[in-house]
Amino acid sequence: MIMLNSVSIDLGRKTILNNIDLELDNNTYGLLGPNGAGKTTLFRCICGLYTSYKGQIHADWGGIKSCDIGYLPQNFNLFDDLNVKDNMHYFAALKGIKNKKEEIDRTLEFVHLLDEQKKTGRQLSGGMKRRVGIAQALLGNPKIIILDEPTVGLDPEERENFIELIKRINVHNKTVLLSTHILNDVEECCDRILILRKGEIIFSGAAKELKNNQRKTDDINYTTSIQEDYLCFMKEI
């Protein structure tokens, strides 16, 4: 369990997060919200990249350390002239991983890139690069996985493969947080939804709780899409 208690942060004169209270267990959470809502800032606070916030972020096992978190930023880059294996060695060294070969093989196998490890960064498709991003986030078997816009720019097939990977991560009892503007991604792989607006959490609940607007037309029942419910929710507040 990860707890955020009254977390606030100002960047310059602007309040980015305002009294965030959350309890996150071993589920996959989809973080939604318009651009500028504070999603990336919230992730960076949890990761410890921002330390000037007010309030507390901690876990039921104690303080959250860098080794507890695997982070895939939105703008993830590889060294184009290094192959996948050498790129992974670089990330493993940054994280202080001791059994580098075993960990690299384990994570590359998980994302189905073990046979592609000799390819250089410039030889990889966008989907492959994102899979390397997940692999480096999984190094060291962290308890928390944070994915910032992981499917942006991927074609439909690559996006579907990526969603399957996210589903598989959740099987291993981790707390997974992902932000996205693609509502179908949330519906496919997230157990719970968080909506952030102007630095405040305005919704926290199961995906089915947001997708609960049923209408009757000519005695025919139908359920709105999660995208329609999200847009209606945002208009009503």
Side-chain angles (χ1 to χ4, degrees):
M1 180 78 73
I2 304 159
M3 285 78 73
L4 286 77
N5 304 119
S6 301
V7 173
S8 300
I9 187 169
D10 298 332
L11 296 179
R13 296 183 179 180
K14 185 177 181 180
T15 298
I16 307 300
L17 299 177
N18 184 25
N19 287 319
I20 301 292
D21 289 307
L22 281 175
E23 290 188 356
L24 307 171
D25 53 18
N26 291 339
N27 279 305
T28 299
Y29 293 84
L31 180 61
L32 307 178
N35 290 332
K39 300 186 295 296
T40 296
T41 299
L42 178 61
F43 285 168
R44 289 176 178 175
C45 288
I46 297 173
C47 289
L49 299 176
Y50 289 160
T51 58
S52 59
Y53 61 83
K54 301 174 184 176
Q56 293 183 324
I57 301 176
H58 56 99
D60 54 6
W61 61 82
I64 298 176
K65 301 176 182 178
S66 59
C67 61
D68 294 325
I69 298 175
Y71 180 43
L72 173 60
Q74 181 176 348
N75 298 315
F76 174 74
N77 290 308
L78 299 171
F79 293 103
D80 284 341
D81 294 328
L82 296 183
N83 62 34
V84 170
K85 183 178 180 181
D86 288 341
N87 269 286
M88 289 293 290
H89 268 281
Y90 170 77
F91 293 122
L94 286 181
K95 294 185 176 187
I97 304 294
K98 294 182 179 179
N99 300 319
K100 292 185 180 66
K101 184 182 185 307
E102 291 82 356
E103 269 298 282
I104 290 169
D105 287 348
R106 180 185 70 83
T107 56
L108 287 180
E109 183 176 16
F110 184 87
V111 301
H112 307 304
L113 282 179
L114 199 56
D115 293 336
E116 311 293 339
Q117 60 182 306
K118 294 299 183 182
K119 287 187 176 180
T120 64
R122 69 176 74 256
Q123 293 175 311
L124 301 179
S125 67
M128 285 183 176
K129 288 181 179 179
R130 288 285 173 176
R131 280 192 272 160
V132 175
I134 280 197
Q136 64 80 30
L138 294 175
L139 285 169
N141 198 26
K143 300 173 182 178
I144 308 164
I145 305 295
I146 295 179
L147 311 170
D148 195 354
E149 296 283 354
T151 59
V152 67
L154 300 184
D155 65 35
E157 183 178 357
E158 290 174 329
R159 212 181 88 233
E160 189 63 32
N161 292 335
F162 207 87
I163 292 300
E164 290 303 315
L165 285 177
I166 295 171
K167 290 179 182 178
R168 288 171 56 210
I169 291 173
N170 188 247
V171 172
H172 296 276
N173 293 322
K174 298 182 184 297
T175 300
V176 182
L177 276 162
L178 70 93
S179 69
T180 182
H181 289 292
I182 303 174
L183 278 295
N184 287 341
D185 292 351
V186 173
E187 191 168 16
E188 286 190 50
C189 68
C190 295
D191 307 299
R192 302 185 69 80
I193 292 174
L194 307 170
I195 298 179
L196 190 64
R197 181 174 180 265
K198 295 182 179 179
E200 298 181 353
I201 296 291
I202 58 173
F203 178 86
S204 175
K208 63 182 179 181
E209 293 178 43
L210 185 64
K211 189 180 179 182
N212 65 354
N213 294 323
Q214 290 193 350
R215 308 171 185 173
K216 280 190 175 182
T217 303
D218 298 328
D219 294 326
I220 298 175
N221 290 328
Y222 67 92
T223 304
T224 58
S225 70
I226 192 170
Q227 179 167 327
E228 289 173 316
D229 286 321
Y230 169 74
L231 292 175
C232 287
F233 181 83
M234 296 298 285
K235 288 177 182 179
E236 289 172 0
I237 58 174

